[in-house]
Amino acid sequence: MATHKISLTVNGVLEQAEVPSNMVLLTLLRERLGLTGAKNGCAAGECGACTVIMDGEPVNSCLVLAVEADGSEIVTVEGLSSESGLDPLQEAMIEVSGTQCGFCTPGVLISARAFLDRTPSPSEDEIKEALRGNLCRCTGYVRIVESVKIAAKGG
Amino acid sequence: MKSVRPGLPEFDYIRAETIEQVSELLKNGKPSRLLMGGTDVFVQMRDGAFSPAILVDVKHLPGMQSIQKTGNKGLRIGAAVDLNTLAGHPEVVKSFPLLAEAAQSVASYQLRSRATMGGNLCNASPAADTAPAALVLEAILVAQGSNGERRIPAHDFFTGPGQNALQDGEILTSIEIPPPPKGPVGRYLKLGRNAEGDLAIVGVAVLGYADKTSESGFRFRMALSSVAPTPIRVPTAEDILESRTIGDETISAAAQAARKTAKPIDDVRASAGYRSAMVEVHARRALHAVWTALGREA
Ligand SMILES: Cc1cc2nc3c(=O)[nH]c(=O)nc-3n(C[C@H](O)[C@H](O)[C@H](O)COP(=O)(O)OP(=O)(O)OC[C@H]3O[C@@H](n4cnc5c(N)ncnc54)[C@H](O)[C@@H]3O)c2cc1C
Ligand code: FES
Ligand code: FES
């Protein structure tokens, strides 16, 4: 099987890797780069646990080849916080206990971050629509939506 | 039920830069598969549906990701335009809101940032959400092969479940939407099992516009997804709406005609009987919505 030398920016850091054709971005992030925030829930585009931002847009990293991400800029949940603290979304999640087992949380945070960046003052329906692709098996949707509302208002 | 999906089988990924390169690759005899967003390809490969030796990524070919106006207010949509871009494009929203609505109804935001309209049509699922819109907008699917360009009307494109009219070595490069009729109103109504962007149990697209040359003073186009081996137009319903004075009764008769045209099956998402009943209900609702939006009362 062919391998490919790729380079991409992950959470602001330039990474280089040699990847087989059939490796998905999720595997590259988790198993090569040690970024285990994004989760493998279904490997089929359904649950959103693997959501990362690629060139500004959220994608299901289980359905993107690592080689397709060559040259791109990736943000994972590990990249949301900085020296100066957590992302307002993360603060809001903690405030309202928007996370239970936590499996869906990294994907939810990433989807919500990308959403707030394109829709700073959303309605509740818009929030729900934007998070349609993020399933929470603990079904804590009310508090997830609540935390997005709080973050949108500026925490 | 499989609890864990396996990884992808082995293949060689090749990013194509020119059409000629694609033709060469497809001619070399190795089992190959075209790739755009991969949201069908990768899921089907993980489920063991096929295992190509090479995967040819065609989404970076020139023009594949652009939307351009053609003469007379038509649009040329590159086959690899993703569904979020399509749903949000000002020209699509302005002139073909039905298509924006159909694109927006697919799955989730993050899936739509990879999924393309061309992939949706080529995958040729009976449930493809952009297909009814392509049918009522009478889109032309433009294919390139080693013998040059071929223009395939949407109504000739879907040949069976998962089957399309492309020949070996041909690739879909764009979708042309002809200029809309004057003052059209379109709606796409989709019934899924839930609000989570599920595949359609029934999808109904309706386009209506005033036309003095028809007996009723209007023309309608209707297409259905998920209720036949392919997405289909419903000429019987269209005829009723063009030949009788439009009101509650005519709309109900047209919706019944849609139900008769549908040939649904039982599957995991719904029974044939339920689908049949829902075709009628959703056809009626879509027609009422279009009729009201045309400024009329039923
Ligand atoms: C979780 C999930 C939910 C979904 N929900 C919906 C839904 O609600 N509605 C819906 O309609 N679909 C849905 N889909 C199906 C899928 O996302 C869409 O059909 C999508 O538009 C496919 O586009 P793609 O670019 O990903 O295609 P790809 O997977 O890249 O390709 C699709 C098919 O077209 C072929 N192909 C690709 N490019 C070309 C070309 N240029 N010329 C000829 N053939 C080509 C491929 O070989 C393949 O057979 C869903 C999928 C998933 C995983
Ligand atoms: S793991 Fe990617 S969507 Fe579920
Ligand atoms: S918190 Fe458990 S899946 Fe969402």
Side-chain angles (χ1 to χ4, degrees), chain A residues 2 21 43 57-58 62 68 132, chain B residues 8 12-13 46 59 107 109 113:
Chain A
S21 287
E57 292 290 327
C62 68
E68 289 183 286
R132 186 158 98 173
Chain B
L8 291 168
D12 290 338
Y13 168 92
R46 281 194 172 116
K59 64 179 161 290
Y109 188 92
S113 52

Side-chain angles (χ1 to χ4, degrees), chain A residues 44-45, chain B residues 33-34 36-41 107 116 120 122 129 172 190 199:
Chain B
R33 194 89 193 185
L34 298 173
M36 295 213 284
T39 61
D40 281 314
V41 166
T116 67
N120 192 234
C122 288
D129 279 311
L172 182 71
K190 172 178 175 180
L199 286 177

Side-chain angles (χ1 to χ4, degrees), chain A residues 1-2 4 21-22 24 42-45 51 57-60 62-65 67-68 111 118 129 132-134, chain B residues 5 8-13 35 37 42-43 46 57 59 104-114 195-197:
Chain A
M1 185 172 34
H4 313 265
S21 287
N22 69 351
V24 292
C42 69
T51 308
E57 292 290 327
V59 298
N60 300 104
C62 68
L63 294 183
V64 177
L65 297 178
V67 55
E68 289 183 286
S111 277
R118 62 180 190 269
E129 169 67 27
R132 186 158 98 173
N134 293 88
Chain B
R5 273 198 178 73
L8 291 168
E10 293 194 0
F11 55 85
D12 290 338
Y13 168 92
L35 172 71
F42 296 141
V43 173
R46 281 194 172 116
D57 187 348
K59 64 179 161 290
Q104 175 95 46
S105 81
V106 172
S108 60
Y109 188 92
Q110 56 266 56
L111 199 98
R112 292 194 300 274
S113 52
R114 299 295 289 174
E196 307 301 328

Side-chain angles (χ1 to χ4, degrees), chain A residues 26 39-51 60-63 133, chain B residues 111:
Chain A
L26 178 63
K39 301 282 185 279
N40 185 355
C42 69
E46 283 166 20
C47 73
C50 66
T51 308
N60 300 104
S61 65
C62 68
L63 294 183
Chain B
L111 199 98

Side-chain angles (χ1 to χ4, degrees), chain A residues 4-43:
Chain A
H4 313 265
K5 287 204 171 83
I6 62 167
S7 61
L8 66 174
T9 309
V10 181
N11 301 329
V13 179
L14 184 67
E15 303 280 3
Q16 304 201 320
E18 187 162 344
V19 296
S21 287
N22 69 351
M23 177 183 279
V24 292
L25 176 59
L26 178 63
T27 308
L28 172 72
L29 294 170
R30 289 180 57 86
E31 295 177 18
R32 292 275 187 92
L33 304 179
L35 298 168
T36 53
K39 301 282 185 279
N40 185 355
C42 69

Side-chain angles (χ1 to χ4, degrees), chain B residues 129-198:
Chain B
D129 279 311
T130 65
L135 285 170
V136 300
L137 295 171
E138 303 189 335
I140 305 285
L141 281 69
V142 183
Q144 291 281 349
S146 33
N147 300 328
E149 180 180 293
R150 198 157 69 93
R151 300 168 60 80
I152 310 165
H155 70 259
D156 291 334
F157 189 74
F158 307 104
T159 52
Q163 306 288 320
N164 64 46
L166 295 176
Q167 289 157 3
D168 276 351
E170 269 185 335
I171 80 162
L172 182 71
T173 52
S174 67
I175 300 120
E176 283 183 17
I177 314 286
K182 220 168 166 263
V185 172
R187 278 310 305 272
Y188 181 60
L189 283 193
K190 172 178 175 180
L191 171 68
R193 278 177 304 187
N194 52 38
E196 307 301 328
D198 195 20

